[in-house]
Amino acid sequence: MLDNIIHYFESINPILAALYATLFTWSITALGAAFVFFFKSYNKNIMDSMLGFTGGVMVAASIWSLLIPAIDMSEGERFTKVMPSVIGFLLGAGFLYAIDKIIPHLHIHFKKVEGVKTAWQKTTLMILAITLHNIPEGLAVGVLFGGVAAGIPEASIAGAVSLAVGIGLQNFPEGIAVSMPLRRMGMSRRKSFFYGQLSAIVEPIAGVLGALAVTFFNPLLPYALAFAAGAMLFVVVEEVIPEAQQNKNSDLSTLGFILGFIVMMSLDVALG
């Protein structure tokens, strides 16, 4: 089935393919958010395992799908070859750091509001927290498809599709992580679902913008790939892993992380 999907994406414009791929990742978030129609609450141990899985997928994607291709396509040798990735990585992490400090948001466990002080409701702040996670994910998929459109050999449709599949898998718990707490806070099921899926709508936007940017400026690709990797790893270290380790049974989230890493690594190597 994946082979058929890859062949289809090879037959269409890579920019359009970036849109379709990120719409897919958004739809998996919506699928997770739809759990609010069937369940009143979620098991914290299961959620921590799924968050750990999310972290594992994002770390593996950052390495195999983004950083390694970014280094491979850079010119020069030794430090010269790695510098575009170093610069892009630092810019990506710095960008998310700045957003994290500026935009007010609140995480699943409602411990503390981050960003500038605001009178916004907890529901709005939590939706913003998950939305911030999705910006680098959509960008990562988009820049890979943009590399294909630019004709760069190190960028492949198969690699971009495998990344989209991995991102989609880890988006499922993110949809649950938004909609279920909103329902528990008294919001209706329909509104909880609406805001749960809405948190990932930035992925198609970031994906298309990333693909267009790389298409029009080819030398940007290694920087853009590393930028997405830096942003994703910032999210993992600063937010995903700490949240997954909140409860006493942290072994489950650790095992989830390992499983997610293996799944994403296998997808990228097998398909990319």
Side-chain angles (χ1 to χ4, degrees), residues 32-95:
F35 263 49
V36 76
F37 292 113
F38 308 103
F39 301 96
K40 293 182 178 180
S41 62
Y42 59 82
N43 183 287
K44 287 185 177 180
N45 288 332
I46 294 176
M47 179 55 64
D48 288 344
S49 300
M50 296 175 79
L51 283 174
F53 181 89
T54 293
V57 168
M58 293 176 75
V59 170
S62 298
I63 297 170
W64 269 272
S65 299
L66 302 173
L67 284 176
I68 292 178
I71 294 170
D72 287 344
M73 67 182 60
S74 299
E75 297 180 355
E77 296 180 359
R78 299 186 180 182
F79 286 109
T80 302
K81 188 174 182 64
V82 79
M83 282 311 296
S85 297
V86 171
I87 294 170
F89 190 91
L90 288 173
L91 289 174
F95 175 72

Side-chain angles (χ1 to χ4, degrees), residues 15-164:
I15 307 299
L16 186 61
L19 175 62
Y20 288 165
T22 47
L23 284 174
F24 162 75
T25 61
W26 161 80
S27 70
I28 301 301
T29 305
L31 185 62
F35 263 49
V36 76
F37 292 113
F38 308 103
F39 301 96
K40 293 182 178 180
S41 62
Y42 59 82
N43 183 287
K44 287 185 177 180
N45 288 332
I46 294 176
M47 179 55 64
D48 288 344
S49 300
M50 296 175 79
L51 283 174
F53 181 89
T54 293
V57 168
M58 293 176 75
V59 170
S62 298
I63 297 170
W64 269 272
S65 299
L66 302 173
L67 284 176
I68 292 178
I71 294 170
D72 287 344
M73 67 182 60
S74 299
E75 297 180 355
E77 296 180 359
R78 299 186 180 182
F79 286 109
T80 302
K81 188 174 182 64
V82 79
M83 282 311 296
S85 297
V86 171
I87 294 170
F89 190 91
L90 288 173
L91 289 174
F95 175 72
L96 258 291
Y97 176 81
I99 288 181
D100 189 68
K101 295 302 179 185
I102 295 171
I103 298 180
H105 58 283
L106 183 67
H107 299 293
I108 297 170
H109 297 284
F110 308 109
K111 297 295 182 182
K112 183 178 68 173
V113 176
E114 297 183 357
V116 298
K117 292 183 179 180
T118 179
W120 292 351
Q121 295 183 347
K122 286 184 176 180
T123 54
T124 303
L125 295 172
M126 192 182 66
I127 293 165
L128 282 173
I130 302 297
T131 301
L132 293 179
H133 288 193
N134 289 313
I135 294 173
E137 295 167 9
L139 181 64
V141 175
V143 294
L144 275 179
F145 278 109
V148 174
I152 297 173
E154 289 83 0
S156 68
I157 290 291
V161 168
S162 68
L163 178 60

